[in-house]
Amino acid sequence: MVDIPKEITHTGHHPRMAVVWSVLSAEIERFAAGTGATLRILDVGGGSGGFAVPLAELGHDVTVVEPSANALASLRQRAADAGVTDRVRAVQADADELPDVAEPGSADLVLCHSVLEMVDYPDAALDALGRVCAPGGAVSILVANRIAAVLGKALAGNFQTALDLLANVDGIIEGRDTIKRRFETATLTALVGGSGLVTEQVHGVGVVGDLISATAAKAETGTGEALREFELATASRIPFRDMATHIHLFARKPMR
């Protein structure tokens, strides 16, 4: 993995997100080396701009598609505070409305983080992501991991809940979950492949970051940096990758 730009490491993100930023940084470097141009980035479900604003600060043009008016208001304020209003565009729409608000092939990089868990038809959402991505462009997908949810409940002593999650193919607890599904590496990879995208990288995000207590995290000076290094070191190594809280899959749209 490449070094993460200073502009990103200083934005206050949880250390576990260093994995995602590292992958995105490598793509930015690859794109710049090939064309020298700025990226057209589409952030689906981008909320208040946790990814969009730092990417705009790096000089890229970012469109955030987000259904929440409050989140978009926060995005605009964050962009204004960072001085990147001219590089951040806010569009209020649901993920399933993407074909109506984004032109086919209009994005060099598409972010879809913590969205597929919420939509009714993830296969249709992935098809839409593929359409708006330019040939040769990339799609960054972040989803909740079913394996991690099972382990987390079991480690907390909630064995019946862990068994319920294990038995449900979508990894949810009926009537108690606020999301529609969780994924596993194999099922996510197959779903992405069915959309015509080609998986290039799969990483675990939050291998231990969401399992350790806040007390443990503060027990040692420099734990945040140590946790970041641990997450980067284990993110692509099996079995750690497949037990992380989230799965990050990076796929590419084939050239015509």
Side-chain angles (χ1 to χ4, degrees):
M1 291 186 183
V2 300
D3 291 334
I4 304 171
K6 180 174 64 176
E7 293 90 336
I8 287 175
T9 59
H10 289 176
T11 56
H13 287 282
H14 192 286
R16 68 189 177 103
M17 296 309 293
V19 175
V20 178
W21 280 118
S22 184
V23 174
L24 297 182
S25 297
E27 178 64 11
I28 289 170
E29 289 186 6
R30 185 201 69 82
F31 189 90
T35 67
T38 58
L39 277 81
R40 301 167 298 168
I41 300 174
L42 180 65
D43 190 354
V44 182
S48 61
F51 279 86
V53 171
L55 289 168
E57 288 183 286
L58 293 176
H60 305 289
D61 297 317
V62 188
T63 297
V64 175
V65 177
E66 164 62 44
S68 169
N70 288 337
L72 290 178
S74 297
L75 165 68
R76 294 186 183 97
Q77 184 60 57
R78 179 180 284 184
D81 292 343
V84 293
T85 301
D86 60 329
R87 290 197 291 273
V88 176
R89 175 174 171 247
V91 177
Q92 187 172 3
D94 290 314
D96 58 7
E97 297 176 296
L98 191 58
D100 300 325
V101 299
E103 293 292 328
S106 61
D108 304 304
L109 175 62
V110 181
L111 310 186
C112 182
H113 297 166
S114 300
V115 172
L116 294 185
E117 301 96 323
M118 307 300 297
V119 299
D120 290 324
Y121 304 104
D123 53 345
L126 280 167
D127 286 344
L129 296 177
R131 285 195 297 274
V132 300
C133 185
V139 179
S140 171
I141 300 166
L142 186 69
V143 297
N145 184 4
R146 180 166 82 125
I147 300 294
V150 172
L151 287 176
K153 293 299 182 183
L155 289 172
N158 300 322
F159 296 111
Q160 186 55 56
T161 302
L163 286 170
D164 292 342
L165 287 169
L166 186 62
N168 189 308
V169 67
D170 287 326
I172 59 172
I173 307 169
E174 296 293 346
R176 295 172 58 186
D177 261 317
T178 58
I179 64 174
K180 298 178 184 295
R181 66 189 59 78
R182 294 179 176 87
F183 295 85
E184 296 180 26
T185 301
T187 55
L188 178 62
T189 303
L191 191 64
V192 169
S195 71
L197 297 169
V198 178
T199 297
E200 289 189 347
Q201 302 178 55
V202 179
H203 291 96
V205 176
V207 174
V208 297
D210 292 327
L211 296 177
I212 60 177
S213 68
T215 301
K218 295 178 181 178
E220 178 184 346
T221 302
T223 297
E225 181 60 25
L227 174 59
R228 174 182 175 275
E229 293 302 319
F230 181 84
E231 293 289 344
L232 287 170
T234 56
S236 61
R237 296 181 62 176
I238 298 173
F240 305 104
R241 180 196 73 180
D242 298 327
M243 297 188 296
T245 306
H246 289 79
I247 302 166
H248 181 239
L249 186 148
F250 194 75
R252 195 167 301 282
K253 183 175 180 178
M255 297 293 291
R256 298 187 193 280

